[in-house]
């Protein structure tokens, strides 16, 4: 049985050397980056049997992404698109530093994945998985993908696969009102919701202390578990009515992109390994803190490193 199947877009992440501006750089570092594959990689590196589903151009660019993800132990289920003009999404990442923020420029319109239908994807993988994971980025990419996402979540649910979803609001893809409608169409199919405190406020109008936000969402949409992530203030989960809090583990931030995905990957990997909710929150937090120290989207970590952060009481506030 597969532990975790994720579905979503992965792009080529192109970034100039630190300190260089996009408008004058002569060099771009090339890596794979996409929320759902980031989760699959983090989980795979922590020992979970992970599969990433997507649609990619049948081209050297599509093959490059697949080989990079496979190198971390992720298996892939790809609908290959051999049309002449098919595209792979890219994103440009210009690293910032105070007072200049990090800037992301997407070039992802009409990427191959925007036409992905459930029939093209290996639905058996979703049916056989313990957890199916996707995020709010996927339904934001096209009408077709919104429908495909709903069908895959439904397929998972009907076959006893736990479904997990991160709001992952991206203001460059849709408005808060569009996101709210998109999320609420999917909520009936979701067991585990991960919501950044800021996304819950911006898109769902849920404000107040994190326990109120998590309980409100769990009660209103009948989620089994809601995890509210709060950046440097840690995270809080409400699961089957119980509340659990987790602090952050201290980290030097080299590259913050993918930190939230590392948290989810660590959390899910521990859950499928039999961990309870507080243990899984601790693994998520530790994986996220390690990710901060690593260049790129991917949490290139080992189980031993994560266990050592979790075990190191001096490193964080674990409650
Ligand atoms: O923003 C997106 O759509 C991406 O998937 C790019 C990054 O990989 C992602 O934001 C990291 O969470």
């Amino acid at each position: 049985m597969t532990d975790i199947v994720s579905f979503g877009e992965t792009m080529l992440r192109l970034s100039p050397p630190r300190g260089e501006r996009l408008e004058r750089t002569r060099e771009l570092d090339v890596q794979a980056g996409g929320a759902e594959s980031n989760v699959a990689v983090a989980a795979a590196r922590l020992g979970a049997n992970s599969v990433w589903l997507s649609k990619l151009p049948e081209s050297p660019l599509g093959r490059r992404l697949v080989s990079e993800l496979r190198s971390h132990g992720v298996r892939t289920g790809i609908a290959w698109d051999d049309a002449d003009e098919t595209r792979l999404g890219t994103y440009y990442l210009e690293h910032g530093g105070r007072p200049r923020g990090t800037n992301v420029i997407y070039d992802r319109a009409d990427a191959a994945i925007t036409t992905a239908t459930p029939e093209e994807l290996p639905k058996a993988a979703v049916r056989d998985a313990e957890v199916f994971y996707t995020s709010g980025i996927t339904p934001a990419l096209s009408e077709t993908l919104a429908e495909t996402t709903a069908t895959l979540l439904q397929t998972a649910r009907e076959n006893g696969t736990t479904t997990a979803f991160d709001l992952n609001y991206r203001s460059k893809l849709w408005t808060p009102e569009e996101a709210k409608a998109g999320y609420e169409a999917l909520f009936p199919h979701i067991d585990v919701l991960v919501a950044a405190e800021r996304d819950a406020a911006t898109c769902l109008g849920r404000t107040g202390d994190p326990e109120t936000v998590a309980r409100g969402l769990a009660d209103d949409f009948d989620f089994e578990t809601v995890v509210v992530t709060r950046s440097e203030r840690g995270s809080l989960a409400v699961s089957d009515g119980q509340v659990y809090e987790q602090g952050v583990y201290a980290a030097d931030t080299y590259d913050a992109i993918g930190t939230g995905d590392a948290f989810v990957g660590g959390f899910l990997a521990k859950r499928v390994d039999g961990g309870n909710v507080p243990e899984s929150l601790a693994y998520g937090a530790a994986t996220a803190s390690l990710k901060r120290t690593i260049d790129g989207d991917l949490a290139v970590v080992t189980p031993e490193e994560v266990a050592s952060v979790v075990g190191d009481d001096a490193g964080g506030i674990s409650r």
Side-chain angles (χ1 to χ4, degrees):
M1 191 190 198
T2 305
D3 294 324
I4 299 167
V5 170
S6 73
F7 169 62
E9 178 176 29
T10 295
M11 298 172 282
L12 284 181
R13 160 183 152 149
L14 306 172
S15 37
R18 278 160 202 272
E20 281 282 3
R21 304 302 308 260
L22 267 172
E23 65 178 65
R24 69 177 297 275
T25 189
R26 290 174 186 277
E27 277 173 60
L28 291 169
D29 180 49
V30 183
Q31 301 191 31
E36 295 80 8
S37 58
N38 294 349
V39 168
V41 166
R45 294 196 61 99
L46 296 180
N49 187 335
S50 310
V51 176
W52 172 67
L53 307 183
S54 198
K55 182 168 178 177
L56 291 171
E58 169 68 80
S59 74
L61 299 179
R63 291 193 291 276
R64 188 207 186 285
L65 278 191
V66 163
S67 67
E68 183 167 346
L69 299 175
R70 283 187 185 160
S71 75
H72 295 282
V74 172
R75 289 182 293 130
T76 54
I78 307 297
W80 290 105
D81 187 349
D82 59 8
D84 284 347
E85 300 284 319
T86 180
R87 302 191 70 221
L88 180 72
T90 55
Y91 88 91
Y92 296 86
L93 175 73
E94 187 182 73
H95 291 286
R98 276 182 297 174
R100 177 172 60 83
T102 292
N103 189 26
V104 166
I105 299 175
Y106 290 138
D107 182 8
R108 67 197 306 184
D110 303 321
I113 191 171
T114 58
T115 64
T117 61
E119 294 67 40
E120 294 177 291
L121 296 161
K123 281 205 285 178
V126 176
R127 285 195 288 266
D128 295 343
E130 192 165 330
V131 175
F132 174 67
Y133 172 78
T134 189
S135 89
I137 296 169
T138 315
L141 297 173
S142 71
E143 288 280 320
T144 304
L145 268 187
E147 285 165 27
T148 300
T149 306
T151 304
L152 294 180
L153 285 165
Q154 246 169 311
T155 305
R157 262 292 191 74
E158 285 163 8
N159 290 278
T161 299
T162 299
T163 54
F165 184 86
D166 187 335
L167 294 181
N168 259 351
Y169 176 61
R170 296 289 183 270
S171 62
K172 291 183 177 175
L173 296 179
W174 54 1
T175 64
E177 295 71 30
E178 289 167 337
K180 182 173 197 282
Y183 296 149
E184 289 185 357
L186 301 176
F187 281 173
H189 314 305
I190 289 165
D191 299 308
V192 178
L193 181 77
V194 180
E197 193 171 44
R198 194 188 43 207
D199 294 351
T202 307
C203 303
L204 303 174
R206 306 274 170 157
T207 53
D209 65 88
E211 183 176 339
T212 304
V213 171
R215 276 198 192 282
L217 287 167
D219 291 347
D220 293 351
F221 297 102
D222 207 19
F223 298 121
E224 170 208 292
T225 302
V226 176
V227 181
V228 174
T229 58
R230 312 179 67 211
S231 215
E232 71 288 346
R233 282 167 298 152
S235 55
L236 175 142
V238 168
S239 184
D240 290 327
Q242 299 292 308
V243 185
Y244 306 95
E245 277 188 75
Q246 173 66 48
V248 293
Y249 295 98
D252 294 325
T253 300
Y254 184 77
D255 184 345
I257 304 279
T259 303
D261 306 326
F263 177 91
V264 176
F267 178 83
L268 292 179
K270 191 65 180 169
R271 279 303 266 165
V272 298
D273 194 35
N276 58 26
V277 172
E279 287 166 345
S280 305
L281 287 176
Y283 267 68
T287 311
S289 78
L290 286 165
K291 164 65 204 68
R292 286 185 171 277
T293 67
I294 298 162
D295 183 51
D297 264 54
L298 304 178
V300 185
V301 298
T302 66
E304 294 74 23
E305 286 170 332
V306 173
S308 134
V309 172
V310 170
D312 178 5
D313 288 337
I317 324 148
S318 258
R319 279 171 285 196

